[in-house]
């Protein structure tokens, strides 16, 4: 077929090569050749008995929404005494008082972080890998909570820590295949930086916004690792995605934050419809995610949590990989607690969280977080709902660390999915919404306090 190169997909990590081989990652190879040989190459390789799978290097989409920047010099009078971050009162998705955004805004339609922070605000041993556009690790409201590979020397062209990646001090850029994580290329939307801020923007530092697990200002927030699989107009692929999961697993991450998925087909329908199809077509990505789930990077949990956005295609089933049974798929709600118009919902959807609805509630009804170059702004989407669940999961692991508790991956996942508020009463106020979404938004809307109480083993019972 005139192959121009054949090389291992996953680089050799001297520290973790044995477990990678056990997972079969050493058997994946990338074969490159002229584009017009694609079908012929797949057919010929499939005829070889020693070849178990042949996979195309498919494209993923992160479906970024438009970012609306706010004036970072403006100030807002604080209504909450626990933190001094000037924009916290605009983050209704954390603490919704029921006023100031939209006439339909409902108090309590938030992730309930204010009460949760009385018990725990984060722990730096918990690392969340953001598989997305690059995260601005220089941002004033993020840099203290960024993961740094202290075993690597920046810009010396050497793989100092023998992990298979050169100069990966602040994570790795799988688009340019180097350690230069970027966020300012043509086409970049700030998507990765926005997602990261929701998880772990620094709390109580008199700057910008808060993060769900951003600490209390004393350096105790969870850490963000940038595993960059999108860069501006460069799309994510199966190869970049598989490598990002492998990198996150081998470098200490316990949560993989994934606000992206497969593109729909040309008719706007899911390109993958069920778990069997994903296992067959996911190939290297599927194997890499299983590898991430199998690696124990914390004393608190015996594997890695994989959390996806359900997708913004308005379909009655979750997109993939989100919809796969062993992953967590997150749908989005608006400031009055209703599902958003763009949601993928139904089969495969596990849970929901605030994602914003700018179309019906204006800019301030969207999700406020960090943007590159010390900016702050609003974005909408299941992409924005997903990091709320990742943040609450990170907060739960932090609390477990504080209490000296340990959980299996299955136990912790079950606790997370049961740490929710019932949205059925909200749906019941609108017959059309109830008909469309009832029973199709997962277990309910994520609640940080319930998560911490479940970690403690204390039942949460609602009272009127």
């Amino acid at each position: 077929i005139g192959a121009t190169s054949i090389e291992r997909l996953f680089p050799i990590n001297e520290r973790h090569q044995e477990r990678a081989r056990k997972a079969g990652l050493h058997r994946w190879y990338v074969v490159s050749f002229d584009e017009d040989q694609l079908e012929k190459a797949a057919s010929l390789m499939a005829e070889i008995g020693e070849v178990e799978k042949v996979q195309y290097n498919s494209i993923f989409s992160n479906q970024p929404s438009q970012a609306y920047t706010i004036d970072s010099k403006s100030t807002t009078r604080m209504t909450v005494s626990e933190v001094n971050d000037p924009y916290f009162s605009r983050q209704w998705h954390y603490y919704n008082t029921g006023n100031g955004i939209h006439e339909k805004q409902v108090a309590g339609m938030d992730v309930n972080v204010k009460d949760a922070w009385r018990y725990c605000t984060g722990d730096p041993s918990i690392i969340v890998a953001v598989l997305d556009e690059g995260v601005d690790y220089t941002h004033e409201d993020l840099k203290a909570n960024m993961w740094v590979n202290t075993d690597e020397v920046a810009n010396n062209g050497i793989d100092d820590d023998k992990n298979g990646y050169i100069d990966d001090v602040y994570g790795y850029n799988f688009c340019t295949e180097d350690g230069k994580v970027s966020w300012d290329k043509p086409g970049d939307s700030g998507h990765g930086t926005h997602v990261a801020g929701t998880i772990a923007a620094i709390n109580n530092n008199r700057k910008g916004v808060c993060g769900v697990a951003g600490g209390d200002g004393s350096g105790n927030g969870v850490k963000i690792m940038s595993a960059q699989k999108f860069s501006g107009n460069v799309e994510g692929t199966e190869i970049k995605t598989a490598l990002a999961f492998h990198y996150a697993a081998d470098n200490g991450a316990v949560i993989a934050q994934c606000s992206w998925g497969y593109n729909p087909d040309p008719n706007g329908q899911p390109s993958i419809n069920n778990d069997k199809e994903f296992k067959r077509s996911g190939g290297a990505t599927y194997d890499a995610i299983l590898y991430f789930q199998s690696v124990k990077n914390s004393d608190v949990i015996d594997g890695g949590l994989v959390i996806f956005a359900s997708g913004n295609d308005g379909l009655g089933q979750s997109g993939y990989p989100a919809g796969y049974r062993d992953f967590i798929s997150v749908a989005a709600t608006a400031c009055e607690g209703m599902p958003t118009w763009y949601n993928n919902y139904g089969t495969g959807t596990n849970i929901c969280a605030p994602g914003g609805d700018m179309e019906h509630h204006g800019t301030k009804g969207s999700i406020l977080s960090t943007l590159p170059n010390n900016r702050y702004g609003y974005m909408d989407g299941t992409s924005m709902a997903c990091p709320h669940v990742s943040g609450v999961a990170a907060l739960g692991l932090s609390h477990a660390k504080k209490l000296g508790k340990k959980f299996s991956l299955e136990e912790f996942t079950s606790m997370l999915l049961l740490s929710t508020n019932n949205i059925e009463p909200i749906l019941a106020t609108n017959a059309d919404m109830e008909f469309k979404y009832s029973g199709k938004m997962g277990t309910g809307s994520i609640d940080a306090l319930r998560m911490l109480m479940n970690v403690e083993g204390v039942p949460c019972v609602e009272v009127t």
Side-chain angles (χ1 to χ4, degrees), residues 39 58 97 114 142 245 262 310 335 397 402 414-415 423 431:
E39 299 297 332
S58 303
T97 61
K114 183 187 169 198
L142 286 172
F245 276 108
Y262 288 108
S310 69
C335 61
L397 291 172
K402 176 181 174 182
S414 295
M415 282 196 304
I423 70 166

Side-chain angles (χ1 to χ4, degrees), residues 25-46:
L25 299 189
H26 65 295
R27 300 171 58 207
W28 281 100
Y29 284 82
V30 180
V31 182
S32 302
F33 43 82
D34 290 339
E35 188 174 347
D36 60 4
Q37 297 289 315
L38 180 63
E39 299 297 332
K40 178 183 176 183
S43 177
L44 289 174
M45 285 191 286

Side-chain angles (χ1 to χ4, degrees), residues 64-393:
S65 61
Q66 176 68 41
Y68 290 87
T69 307
I70 62 175
D71 181 5
S72 61
K73 293 182 174 62
S74 67
T75 58
T76 303
R77 189 176 71 84
M78 290 301 299
T79 58
V80 182
S81 60
E82 282 81 352
V83 292
N84 57 29
D85 305 73
Y87 299 142
F88 179 76
S89 60
R90 300 190 192 188
Q91 293 182 287
W92 61 264
H93 35 106
Y94 293 168
Y95 181 57
N96 190 340
T97 61
N99 59 22
I101 294 173
H102 191 275
E103 61 182 8
K104 292 184 179 179
Q105 183 181 344
V106 176
M109 296 298 104
D110 52 44
V111 298
N112 200 15
V113 294
K114 183 187 169 198
D115 288 333
W117 286 339
R118 292 186 291 127
Y119 296 88
C120 183
T121 57
D123 187 285
S125 70
I126 304 302
I127 301 171
V128 182
V130 174
L131 284 71
D132 208 296
E133 289 182 0
V135 178
D136 181 357
Y137 55 81
T138 69
H139 196 289
E140 64 179 8
D141 218 4
L142 286 172
K143 60 184 178 182
N145 282 348
M146 292 298 300
W147 172 79
V148 179
N149 184 0
T150 56
D151 294 328
E152 193 77 8
V153 178
N155 303 318
N156 69 350
I158 300 171
D159 181 12
D160 300 284
D161 60 353
K162 309 298 183 186
N163 71 346
Y165 297 92
I166 295 172
D167 293 339
D168 58 317
V169 176
Y170 298 103
Y172 199 77
N173 186 336
F174 295 97
C175 297
T176 56
E177 299 181 11
D178 57 36
K180 297 176 182 177
V181 174
S182 64
W183 52 85
D184 55 359
K185 302 299 181 185
D188 272 332
S189 66
H191 194 268
T193 302
H194 196 277
V195 162
T198 298
I199 299 167
I202 305 161
N203 299 339
N204 218 36
N205 64 344
R206 300 186 183 278
K207 294 177 182 177
V209 295
C210 290
V212 174
D216 61 10
S218 64
N220 60 344
V222 302
K223 296 297 184 182
I224 295 293
M225 173 191 293
S226 185
Q228 185 175 355
K229 66 185 293 293
F230 298 104
S231 179
N233 296 319
V234 179
E235 294 178 291
T237 65
E238 293 280 1
I239 290 174
K240 297 168 191 170
T241 303
L243 287 171
F245 276 108
H246 174 254
Y247 180 87
D250 278 359
N251 290 280
V254 292
I255 297 172
Q257 153 60 38
C258 308
S259 286
W260 44 267
Y262 288 108
N263 292 321
D265 68 19
N267 298 316
Q269 296 304 305
S271 53
I272 295 179
N273 283 290
N274 54 59
D275 288 1
K276 186 177 180 180
E277 284 185 20
F278 173 62
K279 285 183 70 173
R280 183 175 67 248
S281 61
T285 296
Y286 176 73
D287 283 358
I289 297 176
L290 294 189
Y291 178 67
F292 180 86
Q293 289 182 310
S294 72
V295 172
K296 181 180 178 179
N297 280 327
S298 170
D299 293 336
V300 174
I301 190 169
D302 67 359
L305 279 165
V306 180
I307 304 176
F308 279 94
S310 69
N312 303 332
D313 310 305
L315 300 173
Q317 70 174 72
S318 173
Y320 274 82
Y324 187 69
R325 62 178 179 268
D326 291 335
F327 312 153
I328 296 171
S329 175
V330 185
T333 55
C335 61
E336 83 284 18
M338 287 289 186
T340 58
W341 61 272
Y342 51 77
N343 257 320
N344 286 358
Y345 58 97
T347 305
T349 304
N350 302 112
I351 198 168
C352 54
D357 189 348
M358 199 177 299
E359 182 168 315
H360 294 99
H361 302 314
T363 304
K364 291 183 179 179
S366 192
I367 304 301
L368 179 59
S369 186
T370 47
L371 288 173
N373 304 314
N374 293 334
R375 295 178 302 137
Y376 303 87
Y378 295 94
M379 278 186 167
D380 265 2
T382 57
S383 284
M384 282 61 251
C386 185
H388 283 89
V389 176
S390 294
V392 171

